[in-house]
């Protein structure tokens, strides 16, 4: 494979230059405009002295210009690093220092992160370009160039020296030590997934795909490159809609989306607010989720509302690029407690369930989930130690030299030959000697009709108390659910030792930057008794 990600839109740009590629908030960028703007940006980046292999941070809100920036950086033979502009400046500074980026492509209405970054940080050779239609209101910097300068540049294509095994982007995920870890993703990593997905989902130019995930989250790379590879339209979802389930539903309707792809929590929220009528979103062909367990009751809700759509669970960590396995539901589950498999490996990948000695476990037995194959990242940016700890090989496998990624997830192979995700080892706890999966308590909670959303976390209560199970929940609208009543209901589903000791009702569960339930924050809430949304 020698194609590069930036070549994906070229075909549509040549054949259908006036068709929209990116749509957001009433703005649209056609394939022709996307191609020429990214060519011009590559020209400018090179003219400003960027070299092959340089890392370039992109610190701007989700927007067509962010995608132009990604492609322009790739066309300059460089590697982009998408950074969440809502992150605290200190975290942004850590990421920029870690990837040794000398350039930031910035934009948007609020330059305060950038201002603070420059005020606080070592200025060094950091240079900023303002790739945004909004005026630059930054107080601490003068951009090296702005979006208007693109117009003055030649818009022809550039010869590239990179090959597909070259880093396309570095995605920073939260690191247990407090410093974000940079997962290096090559062109080939993304291309393999996109090629599999195009075939499997039969994606084509008439598709109108959602762009829901934030651009620093790896699901968004499928939104972008899956769309551009097929000459389809990417409808970028404004992040503020995340908290407005009715508006989100209206977005899907009015954009006439054919594909929705997100983490499950937003689908949960929409389900709980019951924002879709039966047969709603008539153009939607597929609903895909990844990144978290989609509670079966919410899945059933959606499958009943949208009988015309196909529902696919995609599973995978950032380190194995977007997703490594898939499962399309053959029919709506009958039972709200049914476990939905993560399915089988995507083409070119393999899932393995291994024991502590890296030997395969027999079907039905729980083990550690490892991933092998074409999606595997070369490792963490300039961190051989963490890379060696997470990317291993096993002498007990037929190919003892093959690289495996240790996901840290627990899994089993079911009687049906499919893989089942069984939770994180770190959400398995011991409470008064009993071994408990917090996911099991959540599943029982999710089956209670008066519960809209829930998350169960374990805290160390110290002393004789030991580990304490804490349950955060959002009651359904109009329900006057009390912890006492909940506990009584759960008693019918769980042994007494699994019943949470502490309860707290929320208006909505806190979410992290990736749109997942923020369990770290929930633990803090239970530990300190304080909550500031
Ligand atoms: P991230 O790197 O943010 O994508 O997180 C990867 C982790 O999310 C995996 O190791 C799993 O723990 C979890 N995950 C990803 N996809 C799924 C899924 N479909 N079902 C359950 N958990 C998932």
């Amino acid at each position: 494979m020698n194609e590069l990600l930036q070549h994906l839109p070229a075909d549509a740009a040549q054949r259908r230059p006036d068709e929209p590629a990116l749509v957001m908030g009433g703005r649209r960028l056609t394939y022709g405009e996307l191609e020429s703007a990214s060519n011009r940006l590559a020209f400018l980046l090179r003219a400003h002295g960027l070299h092959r292999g340089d890392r370039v941070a992109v610190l701007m809100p989700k927007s067509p210009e962010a995608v132009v920036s990604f492609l322009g950086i790739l066309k300059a033979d460089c590697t982009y690093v998408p950074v969440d502009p809502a992150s605290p400046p200190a975290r942004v500074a850590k990421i920029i220092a870690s990837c040794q980026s000398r350039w930031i492509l910035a934009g948007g209405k609020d330059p305060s992160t950038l201002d603070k970054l420059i005020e606080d940080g070592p200025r060094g050779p950091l240079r900023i370009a303002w790739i945004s239609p909004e005026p630059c209101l930054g107080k601490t910097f003068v951009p090296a160039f702005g979006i208007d300068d693109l117009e003055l540049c030649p818009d022809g294509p550039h010869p590239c020296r990179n090959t597909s095994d070259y880093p396309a982007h570095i995605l920073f995920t939260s690191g247990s030590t407090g410093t974000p870890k940079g997962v290096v993703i090559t062109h080939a990593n993304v291309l393999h997934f996109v090629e599999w997905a195009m075939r499997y989902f039969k994606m084509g130019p008439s598709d109108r795909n959602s762009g829901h995930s934030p651009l620093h989250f790896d699901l968004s790379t499928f939104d972008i490159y899956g769309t551009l590879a097929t000459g389809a339209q990417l409808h970028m979802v404004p992040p503020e809609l995340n908290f407005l389930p009715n508006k989100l539903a209206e977005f899907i309707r009015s954009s006439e989306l054919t594909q929705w792809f997100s983490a499950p929590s937003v689908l949960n929220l929409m389900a709980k607010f019951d924002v879709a009528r039966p047969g709603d979103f008539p153009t939607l062909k597929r609903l895909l989720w990844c990144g978290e367990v989609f509670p079966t009751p919410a899945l059933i809700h959606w499958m009943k509302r949208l009988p015309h759509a196909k529902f696919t669970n995609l599973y995978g960590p950032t380190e194995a690029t977007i997703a490594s396995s898939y499962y399309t539901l053959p029919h709506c589950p009958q039972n709200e407690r049914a476990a939905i498999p993560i399915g089988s490996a995507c083409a070119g990948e393999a899932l393995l369930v291994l024991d502590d000695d890296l030997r395969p476990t027999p079907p039905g037995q729980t083990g550690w989930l490892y991933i092998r194959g074409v999606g595997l990242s070369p490792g963490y940016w300039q961190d051989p130690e963490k890379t060696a700890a997470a990317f291993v090989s096993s002498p007990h496998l037929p190919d003892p030299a093959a690289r495996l990624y240790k996901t840290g997830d627990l899994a089993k192979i079911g009687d049906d030959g499919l893989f089942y995700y069984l939770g994180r080892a770190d959400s398995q706890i011991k409470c008064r000697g009993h071994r408990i999966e917090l996911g099991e308590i959540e599943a029982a909670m999710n089956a209670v009709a008066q519960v809209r959303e829930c998350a169960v976390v374990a805290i160390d209560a110290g002393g004789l108390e030991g580990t304490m199970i804490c349950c955060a929940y959002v009651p359904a609208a109009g329900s006057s659910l009390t912890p006492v009543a909940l506990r009584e209901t759960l008693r019918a589903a769980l042994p007494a030792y699994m019943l949470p000791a502490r309860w707290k009702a929320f208006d909505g569960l806190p979410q992290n930057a990736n749109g997942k339930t923020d369990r770290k924050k929930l633990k803090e809430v239970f530990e300190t008794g304080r909550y500031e949304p």
Side-chain angles (χ1 to χ4, degrees), residues 315-338:
Y315 160 86
T318 306
E319 285 86 340
T321 314
I322 309 167
S324 309
S325 76
Y326 65 102
Y327 177 74
T328 298
L329 281 101
H331 48 73
C332 185
Q334 302 297 309
N335 176 353
E336 296 216 324
R337 305 187 71 179

Side-chain angles (χ1 to χ4, degrees), residues 16 31 197-199 201-209 226-233 258-259 285-286:
R16 304 155 55 242
Y31 272 91
M198 277 166 61
R199 277 198 311 276
F201 294 117
K202 300 188 177 61
M203 296 167 76
S206 60
D207 270 316
R208 301 162 73 98
N209 303 328
T227 302
L228 299 183
T230 44
Q233 296 180 15
T258 59
Q259 169 176 298
K285 291 191 273 189
R286 345 174 246 286

Side-chain angles (χ1 to χ4, degrees), residues 146-497:
I147 197 164
D148 293 343
D149 294 315
L150 296 186
E151 289 306 317
L152 309 169
C153 302
D155 71 349
H158 294 267
C160 292
R161 284 170 54 213
N162 283 346
T163 49
S164 61
D165 56 354
Y166 203 84
H169 48 247
I170 303 175
L171 299 176
F172 277 81
T173 68
S174 133
S176 50
T177 54
T179 303
K181 288 191 290 194
V183 184
V184 176
I185 300 294
T186 67
H187 289 258
N189 287 150
V190 179
L191 288 166
H192 280 299
F193 182 80
V194 165
E195 281 180 9
W196 169 81
M198 277 166 61
R199 277 198 311 276
Y200 180 73
F201 294 117
K202 300 188 177 61
M203 296 167 76
S206 60
D207 270 316
R208 301 162 73 98
N209 303 328
S210 66
H212 177 266
S213 295
L215 299 181
H216 57 276
F217 192 25
D218 87 325
L219 302 190
S220 69
T221 57
F222 174 49
D223 298 332
I224 296 171
Y225 298 107
T227 302
L228 299 183
T230 44
Q233 296 180 15
L234 182 66
H235 290 254
M236 305 173 92
V237 185
E240 57 274 17
L241 295 195
N242 273 340
F243 307 101
L244 304 167
N246 269 308
K247 293 215 161 143
L248 210 45
E250 185 47 36
F251 179 91
I252 299 174
R253 240 172 253 131
S254 60
S255 309
E256 299 180 354
L257 294 186
T258 59
Q259 169 176 298
W260 177 268
F261 180 40
S262 72
S265 36
V266 68
L267 293 166
N268 262 331
L269 187 70
M270 283 195 282
K272 302 289 180 174
F273 277 90
D274 201 4
V275 293
R277 304 177 294 272
D280 216 337
F281 313 154
T283 52
L284 199 71
K285 291 191 273 189
R286 345 174 246 286
L287 188 148
L288 324 176
W289 68 94
C290 187
E292 245 182 334
V293 173
F294 192 4
T296 309
L299 174 61
I300 293 174
H301 169 97
W302 279 113
M303 291 190 77
K304 287 194 170 149
R305 290 289 185 284
L306 312 177
H308 49 281
K310 276 201 168 12
F311 289 76
T312 303
N313 181 12
L314 290 163
Y315 160 86
T318 306
E319 285 86 340
T321 314
I322 309 167
S324 309
S325 76
Y326 65 102
Y327 177 74
T328 298
L329 281 101
H331 48 73
C332 185
Q334 302 297 309
N335 176 353
E336 296 216 324
R337 305 187 71 179
I340 308 303
I342 54 171
S344 0
C346 304
E349 318 234 15
L351 265 51
L352 299 101
V353 182
L354 306 180
D355 65 15
D356 287 344
D357 298 325
L358 296 167
R359 289 176 202 276
T361 57
Q365 199 166 305
T366 302
W368 299 102
L369 188 57
Y370 286 78
I371 300 174
R372 185 176 70 198
V374 292
L376 253 52
S377 151
Y380 302 107
W381 175 255
Q382 294 198 335
D383 197 336
E385 219 171 287
K386 282 205 180 85
T387 302
F391 295 84
V392 298
S393 54
S394 165
H396 308 298
L397 295 177
D399 180 359
R403 281 178 92 230
L404 309 171
Y405 173 66
K406 182 181 196 313
T407 64
D409 294 331
L410 293 165
K412 69 170 184 190
I413 303 175
D415 295 339
D416 46 12
L418 298 171
F419 287 82
Y420 285 78
Y421 168 86
L422 300 175
R424 296 285 303 176
D426 41 19
S427 72
Q428 177 186 291
I429 58 151
K430 282 277 183 86
C431 187
R432 284 183 236 117
H434 297 285
R435 180 172 157 166
I436 300 169
E437 278 297 334
L438 298 179
E440 190 181 341
I441 306 173
E442 287 184 357
M445 286 284 294
N446 280 321
V448 178
Q450 302 98 307
V451 172
R452 205 181 84 197
E453 248 186 301
C454 82
V456 178
V457 294
I459 60 168
D460 184 3
L464 291 174
E465 297 278 9
T467 302
M468 187 175 276
I469 303 173
C470 305
C471 178
Y473 68 98
V474 181
S479 122
S480 54
L481 196 60
T482 62
V484 176
L486 244 180
R487 207 180 149 85
E488 267 323 295
T489 312
L490 280 200
R491 225 179 247 289
L494 296 173
Y497 64 80

Side-chain angles (χ1 to χ4, degrees), residues 37-38 40-50 56 60 68-69 72-73 76 103-107 127-132 134 136 141-153:
S38 53
R40 290 166 194 258
L41 177 59
F43 177 90
L44 260 182
L45 291 173
R46 285 187 173 180
H48 277 82
L50 265 103
V56 181
M60 59 176 86
V68 169
S69 300
I73 293 166
W103 276 83
I104 300 181
L105 302 193
R127 302 190 73 191
I128 291 158
W130 194 256
I131 309 300
S132 177
E134 278 105 3
C136 175
F141 60 94
V142 177
F145 62 87
I147 197 164
D148 293 343
D149 294 315
L150 296 186
E151 289 306 317
L152 309 169
C153 302

Side-chain angles (χ1 to χ4, degrees), residues 489-513:
T489 312
L490 280 200
R491 225 179 247 289
L494 296 173
Y497 64 80
M498 281 202 188
L499 296 175
R502 287 206 196 151
W503 303 82
K504 184 164 176 59
F506 288 74
D507 291 332
L509 296 183
Q511 291 186 351
N512 65 20

